[in-house]
């Protein structure tokens, strides 16, 4: 059976070659990372968590496709997903798979404090397990529906920070788009992904009860909770999870209260929570980045100012898009 497809911009020539190089480079970098975690765990963990990972939120603000086009896990997912025929993930399945991805994120990030920040072997085994998950997901669902658009734990962050991309980047993996997922594909449209993920709930306060709504409202507190804990032995895991959970729950309550005070302003709130979360992240991570790169201590302020300036530009652009949409909807309703 031939299913409908959506034609998307097909990069050609040098652009296509560059994305191919980036995708192969991503796979090679992953192998180097795994070897480094086994042979030189301390240095590799330092570079990974304090240099490489802090670049990603800023990349998502510019455009999440900059990462998604090159992500090594997406490359592995597509390797098998492109051979999975027409097995699409329906909208309801995407919602629940997305909820599982959020759960994975909320389990794995606190685990950094007691495992992944300090134990290279455990992190290497986890990366291999997640890579296998991406490959196996592609056996069951076509294109990126078995992992990247489903249970990937980074997807909710890409969706949240990528909702108002500052630059245009075309999808370098799917041409044509086979509509592998029922709704909310970030690669197809980062700006529509959240609204599609909420579905009808976006028109009322019910967005707060959807899996992505729970994530978005709790995420600023989750980030603050993570950075107000410290690395420790496995025996401190319970305290770390409880601490981060309480911060995330408090954040949810505050955002829910704001939603009650400002009914019909869901898009504004979701834009604002993204800015608060990513701003908090860069505020706290800047000192460790500066230390890891070996810059003078005064560079912390510079890095914070640079990050906050990028976020301010993103916020102004995002709010102007949201208010423009709002005016359009009001005019249509009038
Ligand atoms: S990942 Fe997105 S763009 Fe690619 S085939 Fe699936 S729905 Fe289409």
């Amino acid at each position: 059976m031939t299913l409908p497809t959506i034609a998307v911009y097909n990069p050609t020539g040098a652009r296509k070659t560059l994305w191919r190089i980036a995708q192969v480079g991503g796979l090679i970098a992953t192998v180097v990372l795994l070897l480094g975690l086994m042979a030189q765990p301390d240095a590799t963990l330092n570079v990974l968590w304090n240099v490489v990972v802090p670049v990603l939120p800023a990349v998502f603000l510019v455009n999440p496709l900059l990462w998604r086009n090159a992500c090594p896990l997406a490359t592995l997912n597509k390797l098998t997903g492109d051979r999975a025929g027409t097995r699409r993930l329906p909208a309801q399945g995407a919602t629940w798979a997305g909820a599982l991805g959020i759960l994975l994120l909320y389990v794995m990030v606190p685990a950094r404090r007691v495992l992944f920040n300090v134990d290279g072997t455990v992190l290497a085994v986890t990366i291999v397990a997640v890579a296998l998950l991406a490959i196996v997901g592609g056996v069951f669902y076509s294109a990126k529906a078995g992992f990247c658009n489903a249970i990937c734990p980074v997807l909710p962050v890409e969706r949240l920070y990528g909702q108002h991309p500052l630059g245009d980047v075309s999808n370098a993996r799917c041409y044509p788009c086979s509509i592998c997922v029922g709704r909310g594909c970030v690669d197809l449209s980062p700006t529509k992904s959240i609204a599609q993920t909420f579905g009808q709930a976006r028109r009322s306060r019910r967005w707060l009860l959807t899996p992505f709504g729970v994530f978005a409202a709790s995420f600023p507190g989750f980030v603050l909770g993570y950075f107000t804990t410290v690395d420790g032995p496995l025996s401190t895991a319970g305290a770390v999870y409880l601490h981060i959970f309480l911060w995330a729950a408090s954040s949810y309550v505050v955002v829910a209260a704001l939603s009650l005070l400002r009914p019909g302003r869901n898009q504004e709130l979701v834009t604002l929570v993204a800015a608060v979360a990513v701003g908090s992240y860069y505020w706290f991570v800047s000192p460790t980045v500066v230390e890891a790169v070996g810059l003078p201590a005064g560079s912390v302020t510079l890095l914070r100012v640079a990050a906050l300036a990028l976020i301010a530009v993103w916020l102004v652009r995002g709010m102007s898009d949201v208010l423009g949409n709002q005016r359009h909807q009001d005019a249509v309703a009038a």
Side-chain angles (χ1 to χ4, degrees):
M1 181 176 61
T2 307
L3 289 170
T5 57
I6 298 176
V8 296
Y9 173 73
N10 180 353
T12 51
R15 200 176 294 196
K16 191 171 189 170
T17 307
L18 283 175
W19 280 122
R20 284 279 177 269
I21 292 171
Q23 288 158 9
V24 174
L27 290 177
I28 294 170
T30 305
V31 173
V32 171
L33 171 67
L34 292 173
L35 293 174
L37 287 171
M38 302 307 292
Q40 295 284 337
D42 290 345
T44 309
L45 286 166
N46 188 35
V47 171
L48 175 68
W49 293 126
N50 300 327
V51 181
V52 178
V53 169
V55 175
L56 289 181
V59 168
F60 297 162
L61 294 181
V62 175
N63 195 309
L65 269 69
L66 279 173
W67 171 247
R68 287 176 68 88
N69 280 348
C71 169
L73 292 175
T75 304
L76 294 175
N77 188 210
K78 279 280 277 177
L79 271 181
T80 46
D82 281 348
R83 289 159 185 77
T86 54
R87 288 188 218 122
R88 291 173 169 165
L89 187 63
Q92 197 64 14
T95 301
W96 290 112
L100 188 56
I102 291 165
L103 188 65
L104 280 176
L105 176 76
Y106 275 19
V107 169
M108 291 172 89
V109 172
R112 281 183 55 183
R113 286 300 188 203
V114 293
L115 281 174
F116 302 141
N117 283 354
V118 288
D119 193 325
T121 306
V122 172
L123 182 59
V125 169
T126 306
I127 291 170
V128 171
V130 174
L132 287 174
L133 211 54
I135 293 169
V136 172
V139 172
F140 292 101
Y141 289 100
S142 63
K144 293 163 83 176
F147 182 79
C148 305
N149 275 338
I151 58 172
C152 170
V154 184
L155 173 62
V157 185
E158 293 169 339
R159 194 168 262 153
L160 187 67
Y161 291 173
Q163 61 185 300
H164 303 296
L166 291 171
D168 286 335
V169 178
S170 48
N171 180 349
R173 293 192 193 268
C174 319
Y175 25 89
C177 160
S178 58
I179 321 174
C180 69
V181 68
R183 66 178 174 206
C185 176
V186 176
D187 302 297
L188 209 48
S189 176
T191 54
K192 293 182 184 152
S193 177
I194 290 180
Q196 290 173 0
T197 302
F198 284 151
Q200 288 304 316
R202 72 181 182 277
R203 302 191 193 284
S204 67
R205 289 191 203 103
R206 281 191 304 116
W207 72 275
L208 282 162
L209 301 177
T210 65
F212 188 79
V214 171
F215 160 75
S218 62
F219 195 55
F222 181 79
V223 172
L224 288 166
Y226 173 81
F227 281 107
T228 48
T229 56
V230 291
D231 294 350
L234 205 50
S235 56
T236 62
V240 167
Y241 276 97
L242 179 64
H243 178 89
I244 296 176
F245 171 78
L246 289 176
W247 271 93
S250 306
S251 171
Y252 183 86
V253 170
V254 170
V255 174
L258 288 173
S259 182
L260 287 176
L261 290 172
R262 306 263 299 161
R265 300 290 183 178
N266 306 344
Q267 277 187 301
E268 283 175 53
L269 258 183
V270 175
T271 300
L272 202 59
V273 294
V276 172
V278 71
S280 306
Y281 176 80
Y282 278 113
W283 184 268
F284 282 103
V285 87
S286 292
T288 47
V289 171
V290 163
E291 194 183 329
V293 179
L295 295 170
S299 310
V300 172
T301 308
L302 273 179
L303 189 56
R304 282 175 171 160
V305 168
L308 292 179
L310 175 72
I311 295 162
V313 170
W314 182 89
L315 186 58
V316 169
R317 160 86 180 263
M319 282 300 183
S320 118
D321 287 351
V322 169
L323 295 175
N325 286 344
Q326 195 80 46
R327 277 195 294 272
H328 176 71
Q329 282 166 15
D330 291 347
V332 169

